[in-house]
Amino acid sequence: MVDIKKVAGPVQLGEGPHWDPAHQCLLYVDITAGHVHRCYPDTNKHQHLIVEGGSTGGSVSFVLPVESRPDLLVVGLGRSVAVVEWPLDAPDQLTVKPKCVLHGVDDHHPTNRFNDAKCDPSGRLWAGTMGDEGETPGVVDPEKGGLYRIGTDLTITKEVDKISLSNGLAWSSDKKTFYYIDSLTYSVDAFNYDDATGKLSNRRTVLDYKAAGLVPDVPDGMCIDKNGNLWVANFFGKKVICIDPSVGKVVRQVETPAPHVTSVCWGGKDYDTLYVTSARTGLSEEKLKKDTLSGGVFAITGLGVKGLPPVCFKVSPELLAKRMS
């Protein structure tokens, strides 16, 4: 039996959930507030990191741990990728400045910002940007962003251009397919993926939201389960959908308590809990009174399926220490 419960929140624009198996906690961000959260569902402990913004903006759009350094996190800070230090024994609320900025991008589009990010099977960091967003969620300056790959040697490469709103990322367990969402194409796409080099090729559509009758839902964050099926958060849609990419069809839908669902990840001791973030952004006061759990973080159990362990950023400690010095 499927069960949904709120485990944290509310926040204004929750995003980027990442399960930390070593410490059995959930990392996620509040983008517009510039905050990172660390939630321990088993104990209800909750820590809150305020990251001071830099010259490329103050939004914090993603958070990913650095492998072998549990006190270091990589975050999207405006148009920059930065490293912050957050010890596990830190106070429940802490304000920090970045230890260093690894890269800044999109200088020719200064109102852009980073959005979703994830690490591939080899530990490279993939992060995409989006155009300027106005007062209405999902309405952005089109085709101004890109999808970037940061290698374990910290070199950066733009892999996909003319992105409007970069979002969900996932890799197949055989390391041959990369799944990707540019939200404003209203589709979930696939690429051939070369794990040795990180190169992409042969972009094609897995699911067309308009053809599937899902619009006005907007595809947002995404993760993959052990069966190779994709779980996609539907902003505006109050649900998470499960897609079988081998046939390009929706095989399951799970309704959530929040209309603006933003992202998903697998977690828990056996990776059988689907964690879901949501947003209050764009909801009127009247709507918020009705949908009182908007902006919450939810745990969905009883789905009968398990996810895959997450991957951390596998940069060498020596190289990172040199950049932070």
Side-chain angles (χ1 to χ4, degrees):
M1 181 176 176
V2 175
D3 180 66
I4 303 176
K5 69 175 182 178
K6 179 184 168 186
V7 294
V11 295
Q12 189 64 25
L13 181 51
E15 259 285 9
H18 178 98
W19 182 254
D20 179 350
H23 305 98
Q24 292 294 294
C25 63
L26 183 72
L27 294 162
Y28 63 96
V29 300
D30 183 350
I31 293 181
T32 51
H35 298 172
V36 182
H37 293 261
R38 188 158 55 198
C39 167
Y40 295 81
D42 289 344
T43 64
N44 292 323
K45 180 180 179 180
H46 194 114
Q47 295 174 302
H48 175 200
L49 185 73
I50 302 167
V51 183
E52 294 187 1
S55 60
T56 65
S59 61
V60 175
S61 56
F62 65 82
V63 55
L64 293 164
V66 175
E67 188 178 68
S68 76
R69 285 293 304 270
D71 58 326
L72 294 181
L73 303 170
V74 182
V75 299
L77 187 61
R79 288 185 293 105
S80 298
V81 176
V83 177
V84 297
E85 185 175 20
W86 195 14
L88 291 166
D89 60 355
D92 288 347
Q93 182 168 310
L94 181 67
T95 300
V96 298
K97 294 180 179 180
K99 300 291 288 185
C100 70
V101 171
L102 299 179
H103 290 286
V105 301
D106 294 359
D107 291 342
H108 55 303
H109 296 305
T111 56
N112 280 11
R113 68 164 174 84
F114 271 108
N115 201 42
D116 209 353
K118 205 168 285 185
C119 291
D120 69 19
S122 289
R124 308 177 191 92
L125 190 153
W126 293 70
T129 56
M130 57 181 282
D132 185 33
E133 188 171 32
E135 296 297 319
T136 304
V139 178
V140 304
D141 202 4
E143 298 188 349
K144 295 295 193 296
L147 177 63
Y148 295 88
R149 183 186 74 240
I150 300 177
T152 56
D153 61 354
L154 296 184
T155 58
I156 187 168
T157 304
K158 182 187 281 190
E159 277 295 328
V160 186
D161 203 359
K162 295 185 177 180
I163 299 298
S164 296
L165 205 173
S166 189
N167 245 314
L169 313 93
W171 287 263
S172 61
S173 58
D174 64 6
K175 306 179 184 180
K176 293 182 178 180
T177 306
F178 169 60
Y179 298 103
Y180 179 62
I181 293 171
D182 176 354
S183 291
L184 298 192
T185 65
Y186 290 91
S187 70
V188 178
D189 293 348
F191 293 79
N192 292 352
Y193 165 73
D194 184 339
D195 188 55
T197 63
K199 297 299 291 182
L200 305 177
S201 61
N202 187 29
R203 185 174 186 171
R204 66 268 187 196
T205 299
V206 171
L207 183 75
D208 183 317
Y209 262 50
K210 294 177 182 178
L214 290 167
V215 175
D217 291 15
V218 176
D220 207 312
M222 171 172 61
C223 63
I224 192 167
D225 66 27
K226 275 192 170 182
N227 298 327
N229 291 334
L230 303 170
W231 294 77
V232 182
N234 278 28
F235 199 93
F236 296 134
K238 204 172 186 176
K239 61 180 172 290
V240 176
I241 63 172
C242 177
I243 302 167
D244 181 346
S246 68
V247 295
K249 293 186 180 298
V250 178
V251 295
R252 194 170 185 182
Q253 298 188 19
V254 181
E255 187 169 333
T256 76
H260 291 180
V261 188
T262 56
S263 196
V264 287
C265 80
W266 293 102
K269 291 183 175 65
D270 298 317
Y271 301 106
D272 58 357
T273 300
L274 188 68
Y275 287 99
V276 180
T277 53
S278 69
R280 296 168 64 84
T281 301
L283 294 171
S284 66
E285 289 301 320
E286 181 179 353
K287 188 71 172 171
L288 287 171
K289 288 178 182 177
K290 178 184 177 183
D291 295 302
T292 57
L293 296 181
S294 293
V297 179
F298 308 99
I300 304 180
T301 54
L303 292 167
V305 66
K306 296 181 180 181
L308 300 167
V311 182
C312 298
F313 188 32
K314 296 181 180 178
V315 61
S316 80
E318 296 79 16
L319 183 57
L320 193 57
K322 184 176 180 181
R323 292 293 295 270
M324 292 192 299
S325 62

